[in-house]
Amino acid sequence: FRTATYTALLDGTGELVGAVADMAILDNIQPEILRQRCGSLDGIKLVLCEANLSSEALKAALQAASGNKTCLWFDPVSVAKAPRGVQAIPWHLAAPNWDELLAMLGWQGRQGSIEWSEDEVPALPPAVIEAVAEALVPGFGFAKNLLLTLGPKGCVLATQTDADAMPTKFEKP
C-alpha cells in the first residue's frame, strides 16, 4: 500500500517556496468507516480532521461524534480543499488561514492581501472582523470557535460569543 506523502521546499528563512503532496490514499477512508470508528469515541476528548478527507467523510465524522463529548477540530490544509469543511454540523474549532477562510465562506474574488492600519495600536481590519463573524454565526457558520492564522501578523482566536459582539454585514437568507 502507498502512504500519504508531503514534501516541502523551504527557503533559507524557513518560508515555504513550494510543495508536492500525494494524499490519494486518503480517498480510501470512506464515510461508513468513519461512522463506525467515530461512534466509539467515548472518553476521547479531541479528534483532528483535515480536508484531505472527502466532504462526505468529514460529514460522517461530525455526525458520529455529535452524540458524545468529543471535540472535532478541522484543518483545511489548502484553499482548494478548505470548502470540504463547511458542514451543517459546526466544528468545535476550525483553523484556516486567511485565504482558506475566504474559500470556506465562498468569498471568491476577495482572496489576497488584507489592508492593515499603520496605527500605533493595530486593529483588525474590517474585512477580517466580517469574515470571522460570518464563520461563527450560529445556524449558518461552520465552527463554534475559529483560529484564523494571518502569517506574520499573528492569529485571531474567536468564539461564537465573540461573534455576537462583532459588527457584520451578514443577513440570514
Side-chain angles (χ1 to χ4, degrees):
F1 287 99
R2 288 184 1 208
T3 62
T5 61
Y6 175 82
T7 303
L9 177 61
L10 306 177
D11 68 13
T13 66
E15 290 295 314
L16 181 67
V17 177
V20 177
D22 177 4
M23 302 294 165
I25 191 71
L26 298 177
D27 293 339
N28 293 321
I29 300 175
Q30 299 299 314
E32 187 53 39
I33 293 170
L34 287 173
R35 279 188 205 90
Q36 292 169 2
R37 299 288 183 177
C38 291
S40 62
L41 292 176
D42 292 337
I44 304 296
K45 304 259 189 242
L46 174 68
V47 173
L48 175 64
C49 296
E50 61 170 35
N52 283 312
L53 296 174
S54 69
S55 182
E56 295 78 21
L58 293 169
K59 179 180 178 181
L62 282 164
Q63 289 172 333
S66 66
N68 58 38
K69 296 181 181 184
T70 303
C71 293
L72 266 68
W73 288 10
F74 177 69
D75 180 1
V77 305
S78 72
V79 171
K81 295 178 179 179
R84 295 178 184 180
V86 179
Q87 301 287 334
I89 300 171
W91 298 96
H92 177 75
L93 178 115
N97 64 31
W98 176 244
D99 289 333
E100 291 165 347
L101 176 59
L102 295 180
M104 292 176 82
L105 292 171
W107 289 6
Q108 283 75 17
R110 293 195 191 188
Q111 254 110 336
S113 63
I114 305 165
E115 297 297 322
W116 291 91
S117 168
E118 296 299 323
D119 295 342
E120 264 184 56
V121 179
L124 285 175
V128 173
I129 294 171
E130 181 183 357
V132 168
E134 270 204 46
L136 296 171
V137 172
F140 174 79
F142 51 81
K144 296 176 184 175
N145 303 282
L146 189 75
L147 177 60
L148 174 63
T149 58
L150 298 165
K153 293 291 186 178
C155 64
V156 175
L157 177 60
T159 69
Q160 284 182 339
T161 304
D162 297 331
D164 292 341
M166 290 180 171
T168 179
K169 297 179 187 172
F170 174 77
E171 293 178 47
K172 203 165 191 174

